[in-house]
């Protein structure tokens, strides 16, 4: 007797039971595999010829009838009949109570996939069984936030699609899916087409579409591949019924995607797909205020661009990024990108598993196989686009306030910064510079000197950035406000469902909203910017309120009561409806309804602004946007929105910064010292120290004064030294952005990216690296003169001394360097952190280019280099420098740059010019510091000439 056992969920995860061999599966050769039947003993074949012939003939007849029926089915349009639930999976006893199927109680809690995900619904047993699902009520409260173990969950055999055919194509496979039983959401799409595209060896794409009717697809440029990848690092298997798609890493067998664990839904306004995760370590899925490492304990993340004043943790925020990075058990990593812009929920549960729920579009997703996290991000950016190379002054220190009130007040602040010798590259204005909050105007009374202020900034090698909101006032006298009058003539505003211009309300009062999906709007936007630039020669643009934000819910006249405004399923959006603090979902735009493209508004405005600035300035555009979407890094940077002057906001800025670096928007930062509320001197000092290591470093506040000049001499000095330290590191930071631009690297890097086998780094978001080598450990709590930092295994060097003796010491930055070393086995270390210091450590084996800092980056960039070399235990180090003029468009693409590579081995440092250009002639090296020289040398030669040197007791030359 042969025995067998039913596989547990964990065994299904790794064994991939009931798989169809893709190489053996064809249109006419689909095998229905039952894992239990495969384990049963096989009986002998009958040897009676007549019986075989009779049985074979009957099978042929039945197959012919089935084939004709299938062809007829596939050519039918999707059913528009009222949806009916599948046949009951449960029944009632004679006394009227529900009989729970036995398998329900056998499903572990972590593996229960929610059958009633509607937010706010109090699910009863009757409601659940109406959907033919299991119901087990938990006595205890839900476990995490708004979510918990679902009471209502799918049965193991819940009806889904059937894979009726699969065939090979030039770039992969194409399959046909059929649904024979209706779901509980209306307008099921019964017949689907699945394309499996083997695009690259480390990239797989899957598209599941309606073959009978074209559906909305996200209009961003992605690669079009014509040929199948020659050596894919993945295998793709299929389960016939219920349909499942399983993707494994060939090298290790790790399951990266397994959709068989819950039913697939594909209705007109509800698409759902679940998958297992190989571990609980998952990152990305922006934009939310959360930890860098997401919690998989019943945590649902909603995506729908939303203006969030003082953002609440885990609610949907300004941007939408349906991409995640997942670590595997062996230190490898993969990524997943769902190319969909409709409102969605992403539900995490502790199996670990993830469920996508979207209310429109198609299922179009990519899997990136890395195999390391950095490679995953680069592969993702190969699809959506790598970030732009910023103009040099974007990496300087920026200053802004909502509430300067007059241009003369701004001028005084700028002059104070100069007088105290505090570096500043950019001065900004919030909306108070405008005439009654009208775009493309300035207040000629209170800001009468604004044009002269901007000219003065330019004379001092500084720059000016202004804010613009998308709402255009419709309340001005006809002929008096060109932006609205011209916009009406060109028909470039968003319309309501009746075809009339939709009217909302923002800062200037009643407003219309430009439709940036319309190419004519881009030209109108350019004309407006050009006309204003002739009055006030701004250098960059800050685009805010572009979710788009609306003080009304929908419009002045409300929104219609239809399926776009009230879909069958509404994700957990802040405000409860799609129209909350934005325009109506049913509003009409050039390429689709707002229902589909709402979350693309910020991206489309950024593209229009970036294009306009290219033409106006003929330099690299500088754009900072609040709302973002995948590919945004090509057009703009981002700041983390309206934070508050609180210590917790200081701390949460680091996970936000780390997340946007893996989302391909490395030009990222938070409002230093906090936007809302009043800061304290200690908080502002600590925030300025951390902010000196934001890629985008801007101090911004509402009303209160919090510029460095507003504080005590000691605080002012500490802030100044932090900013000077940033400026000294500009050559290194600029080089990191070059690698982000050409290779998709991160600028701010999570520790786990460099220490893949050290699981202790997987959750760290209170420290970070610049690139691969510079470890930043800031103070994030009040009243602390120490900080605890984690140091992965290896040799680390203290970047600078515990206290700076003078500002002159910082100006001669190499004299303030310490080089004290520590050898870590992978441990937490208590570090001294006096008020005037942020802890920095250099990883062994690196070469970091620095410069003597000055008042602006333009002046600093002309200073000679100081190289800092941190030797490994075996005396090795390497580093590089990218250099160009800092502002010309596309210098890398046009070969207008210099690239220098530094190496150290066998007590010899070599500087090799790998790409030469005129800019290289302006680069000189003044001094070099070597950390970790174990014995004092007798002499040092530079280009065969003996050079002066000093050797310190801490093994520094």
């Amino acid at each position: 007797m042969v025995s067998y056992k039913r596989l547990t969920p964990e065994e299904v995860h790794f064994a991939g039971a009931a798989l169809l061999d893709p190489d053996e599966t064809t249109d006419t050769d689909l095998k229905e595999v039952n894992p239990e039947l495969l384990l049963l003993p096989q009986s002998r074949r009958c040897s009676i010829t007549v019986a075989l012939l009779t049985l074979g003939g009957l099978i042929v007849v039945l197959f012919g009838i089935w084939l004709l029926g299938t062809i007829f089915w596939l050519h039918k349009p999707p059913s528009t009949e009222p949806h009916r639930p599948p046949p009951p999976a449960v029944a009632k006893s004679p006394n009227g109570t529900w009989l729970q199927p036995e398998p329900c109680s056998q499903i572990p809690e972590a593996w229960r996939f929610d059958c009633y995900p509607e937010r706010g619904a109090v699910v009863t047993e009757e409601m659940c069984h109406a959907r033919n699902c299991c119901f087990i009520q938990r006595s205890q409260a839900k476990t995490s936030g708004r979510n918990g173990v679902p009471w209502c969950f799918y049965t193991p055999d819940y009806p889904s699609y059937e894979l009726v055919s699969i065939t090979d194509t030039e770039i992969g496979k194409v399959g046909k899916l059929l649904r024979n039983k209706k779901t509980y959401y209306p307008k099921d799409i019964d017949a689907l087409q699945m394309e499996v595209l083997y695009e690259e060896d480390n990239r797989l794409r899957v598209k599941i579409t309606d073959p009978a009717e074209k559906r909305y697809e996200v209009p961003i440029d992605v690669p079009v591949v014509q040929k199948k990848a020659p050596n894919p690092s993945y295998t793709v298997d299929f389960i016939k019924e219920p349909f499942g798609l399983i993707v494994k890493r060939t090298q290790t067998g790790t399951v990266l995607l397994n959709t068989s664990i819950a039913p697939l839904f594909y209705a007109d306004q509800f698409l759902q797909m679940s998958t297992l995760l190989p571990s609980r370590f998952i990152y990305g899925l922006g934009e939310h205020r959360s930890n860098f490492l997401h919690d998989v304990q019943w945590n649902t993340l909603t995506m729908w661009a939303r203006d969030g004043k003082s953002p609440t943790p885990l609610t949907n925020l300004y941007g939408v990024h349906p991409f995640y990075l997942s670590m595997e058990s062996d230190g490898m990593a993969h990524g997943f990108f769902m190319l969909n812009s409709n409102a969605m929920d992403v539900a995490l549960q502790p199996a670990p598993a993830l469920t996508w729920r979207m209310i429109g579009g198609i299922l179009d997703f990519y899997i990136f196989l890395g195999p390391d996290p950095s490679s995953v991000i680069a592969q993702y950016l190969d699809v959506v686009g790598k970030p732009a190379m910023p103009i040099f002054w974007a990496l300087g220190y920026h200053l802004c306030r909502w509430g300067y009130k007059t241009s003369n007040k701004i001028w005084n602040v700028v002059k104070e910064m100069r007088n105290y010798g505090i570096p500043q590259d950019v001065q900004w204005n919030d909306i108070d510079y405008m005439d009654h909050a009208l775009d493309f105007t300035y207040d000629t009374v209170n800001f009468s000197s604004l044009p002269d202020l901007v000219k003065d900034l330019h004379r001092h090698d500084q720059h000016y950035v202004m804010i613009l909101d998308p709402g255009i006032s419709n309340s001005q006298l006809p002929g008096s406000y060109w932006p609205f009058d011209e916009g009406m003539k060109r028909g470039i505003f968003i319309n309501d469902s009746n075809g009339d211009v939709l009217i909302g309300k923002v800062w200037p009062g009643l407003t219309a909203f430009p439709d940036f999906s319309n190419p004519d709007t881009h030209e109108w936007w350019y004309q407006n910017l050009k006309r204003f630039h002739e009055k006030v020669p701004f250098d960059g643009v800050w685009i805010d309120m572009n979710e788009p934000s609306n003080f009304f819910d929908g419009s002045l006249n409300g929104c219609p009561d239809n399926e776009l405004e009230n879909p069958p399923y509404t994700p957990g959006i802040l405000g409860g409806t799609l129209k909350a603090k934005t325009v109506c979902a049913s509003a009409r735009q050039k390429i689709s309804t707002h229902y589909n493209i709402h979350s693309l508004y910020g991206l489309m405005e950024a593209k229009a602004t970036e294009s306009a600035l290219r033409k106006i300035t003929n330099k690299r555009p500088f754009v900072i946007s609040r709302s973002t979407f995948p590919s945004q890094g090509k057009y703009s940077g981002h700041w983390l929105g309206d934070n508050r002057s609180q210590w917790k906001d200081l701390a949460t800025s680091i996970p936000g910064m780390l997340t946007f670096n893996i989302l391909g928007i490395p030009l990222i930062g938070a409002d230093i010292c906090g936007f809302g509320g009043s800061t304290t001197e200690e908080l502002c000092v600590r925030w300025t120290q951390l902010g000196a290591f934001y890629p985008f470093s801007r101090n911004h506040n509402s009303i209160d004064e919090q510029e460095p000049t507003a504080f005590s001499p000691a605080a002012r000095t500490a802030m100044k030294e932090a900013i000077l330290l940033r400026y000294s590191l500009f050559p290194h930071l600029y080089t990191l952005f070059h690698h982000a631009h050409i290779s998709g690297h991160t600028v701010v890097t999570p520790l786990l990216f460099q220490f893949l086998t050290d699981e202790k780094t997987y959750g760290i978001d209170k420290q970070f690296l610049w690139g691969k080598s510079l470890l930043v450990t800031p103070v994030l709590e009040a009243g602390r003169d120490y900080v605890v930092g984690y140091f992965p295994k290896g040799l680390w060097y203290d970047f600078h001394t515990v206290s700076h003796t003078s500002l002159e010491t910082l100006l001669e930055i190499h004299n303030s360097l310490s080089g004290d070393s520590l050898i870590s086995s992978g441990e937490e270390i208590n570090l001294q952190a006096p008020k005037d210091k942020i802890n920095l450590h250099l990883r062994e084996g690196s070469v970091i280019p620095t410069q003597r800092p000055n008042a602006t980056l333009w002046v600093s960039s002309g200073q000679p280099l100081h190289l800092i070399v941190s030797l490994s235990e075996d005396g090795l180090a390497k580093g590089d420098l990218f250099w160009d003029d800092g502002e010309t468009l596309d210098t890398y693409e046009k070969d207008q740059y210099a690239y220098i590579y530094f190496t150290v081995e066998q007590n010899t440092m070599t500087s090799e010019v790998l790409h030469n250009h005129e800019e290289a002639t302006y680069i000189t090296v003044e001094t070099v510091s070597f950390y970790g020289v174990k014995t004092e040398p007798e002499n040092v030669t530079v280009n065969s000439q003996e050079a002066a040197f000093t050797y310190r007791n801490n093994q520094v030359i």
Side-chain angles (χ1 to χ4, degrees):
M1 181 176 180
V2 178
S3 64
Y4 67 92
K5 66 172 183 176
R6 181 179 297 274
L7 297 177
T8 66
E10 289 80 1
E11 290 170 316
V12 171
H13 175 20
F14 293 106
L19 298 184
L20 296 176
D21 187 337
D23 296 326
E24 298 177 358
T25 307
T26 66
D27 273 324
T28 57
D29 185 29
L30 277 169
K31 303 187 181 87
E32 186 168 350
V33 182
N34 185 321
E36 296 181 359
L37 291 179
L38 289 177
L39 296 170
L40 293 175
Q42 302 296 305
S43 60
R44 292 181 182 176
R45 297 177 180 174
C46 179
S47 61
I48 303 173
T49 304
V50 174
L52 285 175
L53 291 174
T54 302
L55 182 59
L58 181 60
I59 290 173
V60 169
V61 171
L62 292 174
F63 179 77
I65 294 171
W66 174 83
L67 184 60
L68 288 173
T70 299
I71 293 172
F72 174 75
W73 176 274
L74 288 174
H75 282 81
K76 284 176 61 180
S79 172
T80 57
E81 298 175 4
H83 61 290
R84 302 182 185 90
V90 292
K92 284 188 176 181
S93 67
N95 63 6
T97 60
W98 294 99
L99 296 176
Q100 193 87 258
E102 183 179 349
C104 291
S105 60
Q106 297 175 359
I107 300 175
E109 288 187 348
W111 287 73
R112 294 176 183 176
F113 290 84
D114 201 346
C115 179
Y116 219 111
E118 284 82 354
R119 295 290 181 95
V122 179
V123 184
T124 64
E125 188 172 9
E126 186 173 2
M127 292 165 62
C128 180
H129 287 312
R131 295 187 173 186
N132 296 295
C133 290
C134 299
F135 183 84
I136 298 178
Q137 183 172 344
R138 286 171 53 88
S139 58
Q140 60 265 51
K142 292 187 176 182
T143 57
S144 176
R146 298 169 297 176
N147 311 293
V149 179
W151 294 358
C152 183
F153 53 96
Y154 296 111
T155 59
D157 56 350
Y158 200 89
S160 183
Y161 285 86
E162 177 186 1
L163 178 62
V164 298
S165 70
I166 188 82
T167 56
D168 291 329
T169 67
E170 290 186 357
I171 54 175
K173 296 180 183 295
V174 62
K176 297 175 183 178
L177 306 177
L178 288 181
R179 174 178 282 283
N180 296 314
K181 297 176 181 178
K182 297 294 183 182
T183 70
Y184 45 85
Y185 287 111
K187 299 182 182 179
D188 282 310
I189 299 173
D190 299 322
L192 299 173
Q193 176 174 289
M194 174 183 65
E195 295 177 87
V196 182
L197 309 174
Y198 296 66
E199 292 196 339
E200 299 284 350
D201 288 344
N202 289 307
R203 185 175 85 218
L204 175 72
R205 183 182 188 185
V206 179
K207 290 185 72 173
I208 302 178
T209 58
D210 180 356
E213 185 174 344
K214 176 72 174 175
R215 292 175 61 81
Y216 163 76
E217 298 184 28
V218 180
I220 66 172
D221 294 330
V222 296
V224 177
V225 177
Q226 304 295 338
K227 189 176 180 181
K228 184 177 178 180
N231 298 297
S233 58
Y234 46 84
T235 59
V236 184
D237 297 309
F238 307 93
I239 299 176
K240 177 187 174 182
E241 186 176 20
F243 167 71
L245 177 67
I246 298 180
V247 180
K248 296 180 183 178
R249 186 183 296 280
T250 305
Q251 179 183 348
T252 61
T254 301
V255 177
L256 309 182
L257 181 78
N258 182 352
T259 69
S260 69
I261 55 173
L264 172 68
F265 282 68
Y266 207 121
D268 184 42
Q269 290 182 275
F270 185 80
L271 289 76
Q272 178 174 280
M273 184 183 80
S274 300
T275 180
L276 292 174
L277 298 170
S279 79
R280 66 181 179 85
F281 299 108
I282 183 170
Y283 313 85
L285 299 173
E287 179 178 13
H288 306 88
R289 178 167 291 195
S290 67
N291 295 330
F292 179 53
L293 171 63
H294 287 299
D295 183 4
V296 297
Q297 296 297 316
W298 307 108
N299 179 21
T300 297
L301 301 170
T302 300
M303 297 190 194
W304 177 254
R306 176 62 152 83
D307 176 356
K309 302 297 184 186
S310 299
T312 303
L314 300 178
T315 57
N316 55 302
L317 272 180
Y318 318 107
V320 165
H321 293 270
F323 166 83
Y324 69 75
L325 170 73
S326 176
M327 295 299 295
E328 300 161 28
S329 59
D330 51 9
M332 290 187 174
H334 71 274
F336 186 102
F337 173 42
M338 180 67 75
L339 183 51
N340 187 294
S341 62
N342 288 89
M344 70 177 76
D345 279 335
V346 182
L348 298 168
Q349 63 189 80
L354 177 149
T355 297
W356 299 92
R357 298 189 191 102
M358 295 151 291
I359 64 171
I362 66 171
L363 289 176
D364 184 0
F365 56 87
Y366 294 82
I367 300 175
F368 310 100
L369 279 88
D372 59 273
S374 297
S375 299
V376 169
I377 303 309
Q379 291 156 12
Y380 169 57
L381 297 182
D382 283 339
V383 170
V384 302
K386 298 182 182 69
M389 184 68 187
I391 196 164
F392 75 97
W393 51 261
L395 306 184
Y397 182 69
H398 302 240
L399 203 53
C400 184
R401 192 200 308 165
W402 180 31
Y404 282 121
K405 298 183 180 178
T406 71
S407 52
N408 287 337
K409 174 61 178 176
I410 302 171
W411 214 330
N412 288 336
V413 170
V414 171
K415 289 176 180 177
E416 283 185 333
M417 293 286 287
R418 292 172 187 166
N419 291 339
Y420 283 113
I422 303 174
Q424 182 192 359
D425 263 80
V426 194
Q427 179 61 52
W428 293 48
N429 263 133
D430 208 316
I431 59 172
D432 45 328
Y433 80 93
M434 298 178 183
D435 182 10
H436 294 91
L438 299 174
D439 277 353
F440 309 110
T441 69
Y442 72 94
D443 182 344
T444 56
V445 176
N446 294 316
F447 286 80
S448 59
S449 60
L450 183 60
D452 291 330
L453 166 62
V454 174
K455 292 175 183 176
D456 179 72
L457 290 170
H458 292 166
R459 283 194 297 270
H460 287 82
D461 302 316
Q462 295 172 300
H463 301 85
Y464 176 72
V465 172
M466 64 177 189
I467 194 173
L468 286 175
D469 295 335
I472 301 296
S473 172
N474 75 326
S475 304
Q476 308 308 304
L477 293 174
S480 66
Y481 187 47
W482 194 88
F484 180 75
D485 296 336
E486 189 64 18
M488 289 296 292
K489 287 180 187 177
R490 301 190 188 195
I492 55 84
F493 293 116
I494 294 176
N495 292 328
D496 61 23
S497 57
N498 297 319
D500 300 319
V501 173
L502 184 146
I503 301 300
K505 182 180 181 182
V506 202
W507 298 114
L510 298 181
T511 55
F513 296 89
D515 176 8
F516 287 104
S517 76
N518 185 347
D520 295 340
T521 307
H522 289 223
E523 177 61 25
W524 166 86
W525 190 248
Y526 160 68
Q527 292 290 341
N528 276 288
L529 284 165
K530 183 173 180 291
R531 287 162 57 95
F532 190 68
H533 191 267
E534 292 168 355
K535 301 175 184 176
V536 180
F538 57 86
D539 300 289
V541 178
W542 170 20
I543 48 177
D544 192 13
M545 306 284 286
N546 57 346
E547 293 72 31
S549 178
N550 183 1
F551 296 166
F552 292 142
D553 287 344
S555 79
L556 175 65
N557 299 318
C559 302
D561 183 9
N562 59 27
E563 61 186 8
L564 294 180
E565 299 296 339
N566 302 293
Y569 176 82
T570 300
I573 295 165
L574 181 62
T577 63
L578 298 178
K579 66 185 178 182
K581 301 307 175 190
T582 190
V583 304
C584 298
S586 57
R588 300 179 185 176
Q589 295 189 239
K590 179 73 173 180
I591 64 171
S592 189
T593 60
H594 195 73
Y595 179 91
N596 289 324
I597 62 175
H598 164 82
S599 293
L600 296 173
Y601 195 89
L603 169 64
M604 292 176 172
E605 186 188 16
K607 291 175 69 173
T609 308
E610 191 266 359
S611 175
L613 286 177
R614 275 179 175 260
K615 291 186 280 188
I616 292 169
T617 67
N618 197 33
K619 297 176 181 178
R620 296 176 207 166
F622 176 78
V623 183
I624 294 292
S625 175
R626 188 166 75 176
S627 187
T628 59
F629 192 81
S631 77
Q632 187 100 16
K634 296 194 294 183
Y635 310 105
S636 82
H638 174 60
W639 95 106
L640 294 172
D642 293 341
N643 59 10
R644 298 189 64 80
S645 298
Q646 297 175 356
W647 287 92
K648 65 178 182 180
D649 291 66
L650 166 68
T652 57
S653 70
I654 300 178
M657 180 171 56
L658 292 171
T659 295
F660 272 93
N661 267 264
I662 72 171
L663 296 176
I665 308 177
L667 190 61
I668 177 71
D671 285 342
I672 295 171
C673 300
F675 173 72
S678 298
T679 190
T680 65
E681 182 168 284
E682 182 190 10
L683 174 60
C684 203
V685 167
R686 292 305 194 189
W687 211 325
T688 302
Q689 290 169 347
L690 172 59
F693 292 89
Y694 292 162
F696 167 55
S697 183
R698 182 185 69 164
N699 179 319
H700 178 44
N701 183 253
S702 59
I703 311 304
D704 286 350
E705 293 187 14
Q706 61 181 33
E707 297 85 9
T709 56
F711 296 96
S712 70
R716 184 169 64 239
T717 298
M719 294 182 197
K720 176 179 178 177
E721 292 184 356
I723 300 168
L724 283 167
L725 179 58
R726 174 188 181 86
Y727 275 52
S728 74
L729 289 164
F730 169 73
H732 179 52
L733 180 59
Y734 195 66
T735 301
L736 293 178
F737 268 97
H738 164 70
H739 290 302
H741 173 58
I742 65 167
S743 302
H745 292 177
T746 52
V747 172
V748 169
T749 304
L751 269 70
L752 73 95
F753 275 44
Q754 293 300 311
F755 302 94
L756 302 178
T757 60
D758 185 353
E759 197 171 298
K760 293 177 183 177
T761 66
Y762 287 14
I764 290 178
D765 58 10
K766 291 180 169 54
Q767 295 170 275
F768 56 91
L769 296 161
W770 263 16
K772 300 177 181 180
S773 304
L774 187 59
L775 177 62
V776 184
T777 308
V779 173
L780 302 174
E781 298 176 80
R784 296 295 178 89
D785 59 1
Y786 68 93
V787 62
V788 177
Y790 180 75
F791 286 78
K793 185 177 180 179
L795 178 60
W796 298 86
Y797 298 92
D798 186 0
F799 186 83
H800 50 195
T801 54
V802 172
S803 61
H804 302 307
T805 56
S806 68
L807 290 179
E808 191 64 24
T809 304
L810 257 181
L811 293 175
E812 296 291 339
I813 192 70
H814 58 282
N815 288 335
S816 71
L817 300 176
S818 171
D820 291 341
S821 63
L822 63 90
I823 298 176
S824 174
S825 59
E827 57 196 299
E828 290 187 339
I829 296 178
N830 196 317
L831 305 168
Q832 295 182 23
K835 295 291 193 298
D836 61 349
K837 177 185 178 180
I838 182 169
N839 274 278
L840 299 179
H841 289 83
L842 281 170
R843 186 183 178 187
E844 62 177 309
S846 60
V847 179
I848 302 291
T850 69
Q851 279 178 321
R852 186 181 301 129
N854 215 298
T856 67
L857 286 178
W858 180 255
V859 178
S860 296
S861 63
Q863 302 298 312
L865 295 178
H866 170 68
L867 304 179
I868 304 172
V869 181
S870 54
L871 297 173
S872 65
E873 281 285 0
D874 48 4
L876 303 178
K878 60 184 179 180
D880 59 350
L881 173 69
F882 173 85
W883 208 246
D884 60 13
D885 69 5
E887 59 186 10
T888 298
L889 292 163
D890 306 319
T891 57
Y892 176 77
E893 292 75 9
K894 297 174 181 176
D895 288 334
Q896 298 174 1
Y897 69 94
Y899 183 68
I900 303 165
Y901 196 73
F902 307 105
T903 57
V904 180
E905 58 181 341
Q906 296 181 343
N907 294 329
T908 301
M909 180 173 187
T910 303
S911 170
E912 184 178 2
V913 180
L914 298 183
H915 192 281
N916 205 353
H917 186 259
E918 179 186 3
E919 288 297 325
T921 64
Y922 305 126
I923 301 172
T924 60
V925 177
E926 185 177 49
T927 54
V928 184
S929 293
F930 295 89
Y931 296 176
V933 181
K934 296 179 181 178
T935 58
E936 182 175 357
E938 293 182 1
N939 58 41
V940 175
T941 59
V942 177
N943 296 332
S944 301
Q945 301 295 316
E946 192 161 325
F949 72 96
T950 58
Y951 183 81
R952 299 178 184 169
N953 293 334
N954 57 359
Q955 299 185 343
V956 174
I957 290 182

